[in-house]
Amino acid sequence: MIEVTFISADGKSRQTVQAREGDRLLDVAQAHGQPLEGTCEGQMACSTCHLIIDPADFAKLPDPVEMEEDMLDLAVAVTRTSRLSCQIFLREEWGSLTCRVPAESYDMQGV
C-alpha cells in the first residue's frame, strides 16, 4: 500500500488515504471526493486532473512524456512540480505521495 495525502487548494484541509500499487492517482483522488474533473477520463486530452506534487515527492515520479508537458501548458496555475494525475500510477516503493489541488482550474466542459 502507498499513503497518498491530498491538500486542499486553500491549504486548510488534508486527506490521507491508502492506495494500492498500480492505482492511477486520478482514480484514487476521485474515489475520495477530491475536486478533479478528469474530463477526458485519463486519455491525456485535457488538463483538468492537474495536481501539484509536493517538491519532496516530485523526484520519485517518472519523468512526464512530452504530450503530458504539452497538456500542462493548458492548465491554470501550473508550477514546476505540476503533473497530470491521470499519468501517475502509484508505486509502493514511494511509500507516500503528497499533492495539492491547484487554487484554480479550467473547466473543459464549460459548465
Side-chain angles (χ1 to χ4, degrees):
M1 298 295 280
I2 179 172
E3 185 174 273
V4 180
T5 300
F6 297 100
I7 302 171
S8 63
D10 62 10
K12 293 181 180 179
S13 66
R14 296 171 78 90
Q15 179 185 34
T16 300
V17 301
Q18 297 292 318
R20 292 184 305 272
E21 168 98 18
D23 283 352
R24 186 169 56 171
L25 185 56
L26 172 61
D27 297 333
V28 173
Q30 289 178 333
H32 291 90
Q34 294 300 314
L36 296 182
E37 192 174 325
T39 301
C40 73
E41 298 179 358
Q43 300 302 309
M44 203 167 27
C46 72
S47 59
T48 62
C49 68
H50 163 225
L51 281 174
I52 300 167
I53 306 302
D54 186 275
D57 291 336
F58 189 73
K60 297 177 185 178
L61 306 179
D63 292 336
V65 296
E66 185 176 345
M67 188 173 172
E68 180 181 354
E69 291 175 342
D70 290 345
M71 293 313 307
L72 282 168
D73 288 342
L74 302 175
V76 178
V78 173
T79 72
R80 186 183 62 76
T81 62
S82 289
R83 292 294 303 268
L84 298 180
S85 62
C86 71
Q87 297 304 300
I88 298 173
F89 291 87
L90 302 174
R91 297 182 185 169
E92 282 187 37
E93 65 196 51
W94 299 343
S96 64
L97 185 70
T98 300
C99 45
R100 182 171 49 86
V101 175
E104 302 175 60
S105 64
Y106 179 69
D107 184 345
M108 301 292 279
Q109 295 180 358
V111 182

